[in-house]
Amino acid sequence: MAVIRWVLGQIILLLDFLTSPKPVVREAEAQKAIDDVTATMSLYQFATCPFCVKVRRELKRHSLNIELRDARNDAALKAELVREGGRHKVPCLRIEKPDNSVEWLYESSDIIVYLKSQFKLG
Ligand SMILES: N[C@@H](CCC(=O)N[C@@H](CS)C(=O)NCC(=O)O)C(=O)O
């Protein structure tokens, strides 16, 4: 079972690589403004999770530089996700708000809707 899962994971990564979206290119100032906001976010994820791949492709397509955190192989990050987010489920977007509160947003579709609402992406 582990071998099958590994093979499927490699296929997902290969397909993602071969069909990788082209990142949007912005004026430096516009990109810097977005980078300043995305610096307050991080994505807890697994490399081969298809839902995580879906979100990572959106990040790439829209040139959103959000830190990726490996919640499968890094025990501390995994524990942090469970302790603070409430579930060991990925993808999960950690968002630090201006008032220093933290939101843990689960569900790939909800994460993409949120990012589109924040950055007015096409
Ligand atoms: N509906 C969720 C599905 C997410 C999901 O099933 N993620 C799996 C990995 S692909 C997971 O976190 N499983 C928990 C675990 O493996 O501990 C989404 O779209 O984000």
Side-chain angles (χ1 to χ4, degrees):
M1 192 60 195
V3 174
I4 293 173
R5 202 160 354 125
W6 183 85
V7 171
L8 284 176
Q10 298 310 301
I11 292 171
I12 287 171
L13 289 180
L14 179 65
L15 288 176
D16 179 39
F17 175 75
L18 293 175
T19 64
S20 186
K22 195 168 178 290
V24 69
V25 178
R26 303 184 176 88
E27 297 287 337
E29 209 170 303
Q31 185 64 51
K32 164 88 171 65
I34 290 182
D35 287 348
D36 286 347
V37 180
T38 54
T40 65
M41 300 175 183
S42 49
L43 185 73
Y44 288 69
Q45 51 102 48
F46 300 165
T48 56
C49 158
F51 305 98
C52 302
V53 170
K54 181 173 95 172
V55 174
R56 291 203 308 266
R57 289 173 70 86
E58 287 301 311
L59 300 186
K60 181 162 187 193
R61 179 175 292 114
H62 298 292
S63 301
L64 299 178
N65 297 311
I66 294 179
E67 180 192 347
L68 302 180
R69 296 187 171 175
D70 185 343
R72 171 169 274 157
N73 297 308
D74 186 318
L77 291 176
K78 180 175 172 177
E80 187 175 78
L81 176 62
V82 175
R83 189 179 62 246
E84 296 182 31
R87 278 180 290 164
H88 185 239
K89 194 171 184 196
V90 292
C92 179
L93 185 67
R94 180 183 187 276
I95 309 157
E96 280 179 30
K97 307 280 186 173
D99 65 359
N100 289 330
S101 63
V102 174
E103 180 181 356
W104 295 80
L105 181 61
Y106 288 90
E107 289 297 321
S108 54
S109 299
D110 292 346
I111 292 170
I112 291 169
V113 166
Y114 173 79
L115 292 172
K116 287 185 171 173
S117 75
Q118 291 302 298
F119 302 111
K120 309 280 179 277
L121 308 172

